[in-house]
Amino acid sequence: MELGIGIGWRPEIADEVEALPGIDWVEAVAENLCADHLPASLTRLRERGVTVVPHGVSLGLGGADRPDPGRLTALAERAALLGTPLVTEHIAFVRAGGARTASPVLEAGHLLPVPRTWAALDVLCENVRIAQDSLPVPLALENIAALICWPDEELTEGQFLAELVERTGVGLLIDVANLHTNHVNRGEDPATALDELPVEAIAYVHVAGGVEKDGVWHDTHAHPVTAPVLDVLAELRSRVSPPGVLLERDDDFPPAAELAGELDAIRATLDAGRAGAAPRSAEPSTAPAPAPLPASGPAGADAARDRVAVAQASLLSALVAGAPVPEGFDHQRLGVQSRALAAKRADVVAKVAPELPEILGPDYRDAFLAYARTRPMSAGYRRDALDFAEQLLVAGRPADNAARRRLTYWWQDRAAPRPPRRTTRLARAARSALVGR
């Protein structure tokens, strides 16, 4: 299936995307689309014959629990609505906790890396098969960027991806910017990863920008594509001609001319590359053979899920709830990741509830970051915005009476006919204290 050259469709640049020349397809975040109708811009693009691929961000297929049926149904509905040839998601976990760990469910609000162990691979493969059975079109999964490394990993990224494809037949969405990120942050060679993974399984490729700060590469999707990322694209192109390549941009959108220039740079990189022989399979793995599953079958699979659940809950609790850093992790890097997660929460909440920074003014960010230190996210960003506003009101803030009235009206309009009673506030405060331990 040939897709060609594409760009990530976002509402903020919908007009620019429609006007860009040479766009063969677009990708839209699945969770941002309504199940029963499309934005007018996407409808017009489809009428022009432009393929639209839904890109999911919330399934958490690398998590310890089996995929949520409701989320799978929603993704299948968007695939049907778009008439897409495939859907894509990530090799990541996005939440942890719950019944397997007898702890509150925590949401990361971000894509976090799966440990490259045989147990985590077993869990991921079963989750992928469940997803494949629930979707009307093929599934492809994306490698993610990471600031942190799991201790005692048993496979390289390329080996992990190769095993995943071998066991499930899933397609790959290779993000070359993420390969570069992992090179800077984790010392992993992109060329080695490309040598080890099955390039014939690539459905398409992502290219995106980022920025380096204090020796850490941040995959922001809000900066121009850099030369090192294009170099990784050239490495990939020397091995295979990818069916599709897409430019991602999620924030700080530049003028259309700059987007067009980045697309031209991608085309030039692809044109300059020389694919060698026909696409080849991955090099033979040097990793040890996987240990056989216990004879207990499902019980053994559940035991693997339990081990993964404890590990992921411990990590996420350290990142968002102030819990101790799990053994083997880099304390400094976890601090960087923790601050990045809190900053992202503040930024996304400001987008989904723009009235909050308007009401609070320059105090918004500091107030939200203080809230985030004691209140890990347990649902989506919209719920997070309501909980933040509620906490401010319970504390008698903001100090300005007019601003507090505006915040009260905003909260009432979205949450309940009246602010919570004292007993409800105390119960919620107690629950928040328990979750934050």
Side-chain angles (χ1 to χ4, degrees), residues 31-292:
E31 288 81 357
N32 292 345
L33 301 177
C34 295
D36 55 352
H37 71 278
L38 292 176
S41 172
L42 286 181
T43 298
R44 289 191 293 269
L45 287 168
R46 290 192 66 226
E47 289 171 349
R48 282 167 38 188
V50 175
T51 298
V52 182
V53 174
H55 186 52
V57 297
S58 65
L59 270 184
L61 291 174
D65 291 323
R66 291 174 176 84
D68 177 75
R71 295 180 190 275
L72 284 173
T73 297
L75 186 55
E77 289 173 347
R78 277 125 183 104
L81 179 66
L82 291 166
T84 183
L86 80 164
V87 297
T88 57
E89 248 286 354
H90 298 82
I91 302 169
F93 77 100
V94 297
R95 63 190 64 86
R100 289 186 181 276
T101 58
S103 62
V105 175
L106 299 177
E107 291 278 346
H110 188 70
L111 303 164
L112 293 176
V114 174
R116 296 175 197 152
T117 62
W118 293 112
L121 180 63
D122 291 339
V123 171
L124 173 63
C125 288
E126 184 185 357
N127 288 348
V128 168
R129 293 187 197 102
I130 293 170
Q132 289 171 317
D133 290 343
S134 303
L135 296 169
V137 294
L139 172 68
L141 295 180
E142 179 179 354
N143 59 303
I144 71 162
L147 289 172
I148 54 180
C149 296
W150 283 86
D152 303 320
E153 292 194 319
E154 299 165 322
L155 301 99
T156 65
E157 178 158 34
Q159 291 164 347
F160 193 85
L161 295 176
E163 284 285 338
L164 174 64
V165 172
E166 176 69 21
R167 295 189 190 188
T168 66
V170 74
L172 295 177
L173 193 183
I174 295 300
D175 190 314
V176 294
N178 291 349
L179 291 177
H180 172 68
T181 301
N182 293 344
H183 172 62
V184 176
N185 295 347
R186 298 160 57 127
E188 298 172 354
D189 180 19
T192 299
L194 292 172
D195 283 340
E196 292 175 336
L197 64 84
V199 293
E200 73 277 5
I202 295 176
Y204 61 87
V205 174
H206 273 173
V207 182
V211 64
E212 187 171 349
K213 295 180 181 178
D214 300 324
V216 175
W217 185 269
H218 296 268
D219 180 46
T220 64
H221 292 195
H223 292 81
V225 175
T226 62
V229 171
L230 292 176
D231 289 342
V232 181
L233 178 62
E235 278 280 355
L236 185 149
R237 177 65 180 87
S238 71
R239 292 159 173 78
V240 67
S241 179
V245 179
L246 181 127
L247 171 66
E248 282 192 297
R249 187 78 177 226
D250 292 326
D251 205 354
D252 197 16
F253 299 101
E258 291 185 28
L259 292 174
E262 291 195 277
L263 287 165
D264 287 341
I266 289 170
R267 292 188 184 96
T269 300
L270 294 172
D271 290 342
R274 292 186 178 89
R280 61 186 189 272
S281 299
E283 297 294 327
S285 173
T286 58

Side-chain angles (χ1 to χ4, degrees), residues 375-412:
R375 287 290 297 270
M377 188 161 59
S378 59
Y381 284 109
R382 297 185 191 282
R383 181 72 254 173
D384 208 21
L386 289 170
D387 289 347
F388 168 55
E390 180 180 311
Q391 188 185 70
L392 288 177
L393 293 172
V394 167
R397 298 174 60 198
D400 179 75
N401 290 335
R404 191 164 64 254
R405 280 196 300 272
R406 288 185 64 196
L407 187 61
T408 299
Y409 296 149
W410 180 89
W411 186 89
Q412 289 174 334

